[in-house]
């Protein structure tokens, strides 16, 4: 009986700690956004807007992955689980950047590396995304005034960009084979209409 009460007390303490940590993170991210709104520093504002674009893109991709919007799946030639996971990664990287720019920028680089690879592997209209994702990454880094003179940090950011691009290129080689269940379902629908 004592063991059970200790566990309950420990759980209660842990939940209070995680709640205060989440509240701190929430306040810090919102504070960063409000500071950018009030600031006269255009570079700071651009980096915050660019990271908010990454967050919003992450939310959209997560919804696309969850609700299987087939037009997007066909356009990007990706299975919906990958679109959803990439969206969650973008959401997290944009939020991490708003929380701490130096810590979050390598994650922004990985998100934009994956976005650039996805755009490069697509058809013409989608290939413009290479420029958009690169410009977003540059806006985040330049506007945050990060110290890119530190070679280790620069290599970490470049490595994370390659990580994101490689994830897109090598993780999903043949989306047609990964979505067999969806393909079977579509074939059943076609047979019913005939």
């Amino acid at each position: 009986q004592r063991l059970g009460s200790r566990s309950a007390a420990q759980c209660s303490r842990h939940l209070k700690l995680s709640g205060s940590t989440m509240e701190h993170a929430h306040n810090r991210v919102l504070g960063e956004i409000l500071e950018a709104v009030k600031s006269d520093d255009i570079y700071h504002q651009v980096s915050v807007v660019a990271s908010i674009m990454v967050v919003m893109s992450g939310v959209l991709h997560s919804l696309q992955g969850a609700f299987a919007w087939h037009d997007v799946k066909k356009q990007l030639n990706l299975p919906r689980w990958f679109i959803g996971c990439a969206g969650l990664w973008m959401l997290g990287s944009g939020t991490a950047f708003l929380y701490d720019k130096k810590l979050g920028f390598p994650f922004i680089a990985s998100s934009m590396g994956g976005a650039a690879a996805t755009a490069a592997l697509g058809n013409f209209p989608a290939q413009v995304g290479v420029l958009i994702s690169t410009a977003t990454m540059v806006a985040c880094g330049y506007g945050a005034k990060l110290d890119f003179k530190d070679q280790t940090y620069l290599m970490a950011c470049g490595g994370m960009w390659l990580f994101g691009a490689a994830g897109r290129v090598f993780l999903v080689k043949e989306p047609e084979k990964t979505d067999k269940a969806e393909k079977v379902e579509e074939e059943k629908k076609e047979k019913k209409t005939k």
Side-chain angles (χ1 to χ4, degrees):
Q1 193 176 20
R2 275 182 83 185
L3 182 63
S5 64
R6 281 187 197 167
S7 298
Q10 288 174 344
C11 288
S12 176
R13 210 173 315 123
H14 178 69
L15 288 174
K16 286 179 186 176
L17 178 64
S18 66
S20 65
T21 304
M22 289 298 290
E23 185 177 333
H24 170 72
H26 181 261
N27 289 339
R28 189 164 169 181
V29 168
L30 286 179
E32 180 66 28
I33 294 169
L34 291 174
E35 182 183 320
V37 169
K38 295 176 185 177
S39 174
D40 291 334
D41 184 8
I42 190 73
Y43 298 110
H44 182 104
Q45 293 172 340
V46 166
S47 73
V48 169
V49 167
S51 62
I52 289 172
M53 283 175 41
V54 173
V55 168
M56 296 309 294
S57 296
V59 169
L60 180 64
H61 284 319
S62 298
L63 292 173
Q64 288 170 340
F67 296 112
W69 295 338
H70 292 287
D71 294 340
V72 173
K73 181 184 163 246
K74 289 177 184 174
Q75 182 183 11
L76 297 176
N77 197 26
L78 290 170
R80 66 177 217 224
W81 67 264
F82 187 83
I83 295 171
C85 289
L88 292 173
W89 184 267
M90 292 172 77
L91 173 63
S93 65
T95 305
F97 183 80
L98 287 170
Y99 183 79
D100 183 351
K101 291 183 178 6
K102 186 170 183 173
L103 174 70
F105 184 73
F107 294 101
I108 290 282
S110 69
S111 291
M112 295 302 99
T118 300
L121 293 171
N123 296 329
F124 170 68
Q127 289 175 342
V128 175
V130 173
L131 296 173
I132 294 169
S133 64
T134 304
T136 302
M137 182 180 68
V138 168
C140 285
Y142 187 74
K145 298 177 183 163
L146 296 172
D147 182 22
F148 290 112
K149 293 176 185 171
D150 179 8
Q151 293 296 316
T152 307
Y153 185 69
L154 186 61
M155 288 180 10
C157 293
M160 287 296 281
W161 189 91
L162 289 172
F163 169 77
R168 168 55 184 99
V169 172
F170 297 115
L171 193 59
V172 181
K173 288 187 178 181
E174 299 179 41
E176 298 85 24
K177 290 184 180 178
T178 60
D179 284 343
K180 285 183 180 178
E182 289 181 18
K183 200 168 192 176
V184 168
E185 194 175 302
E186 288 177 13
E187 288 174 359
K188 286 181 182 178
K189 287 181 183 176
E190 287 177 14
K191 286 181 183 178
K192 286 182 182 179
T193 58
K194 290 180 182 179

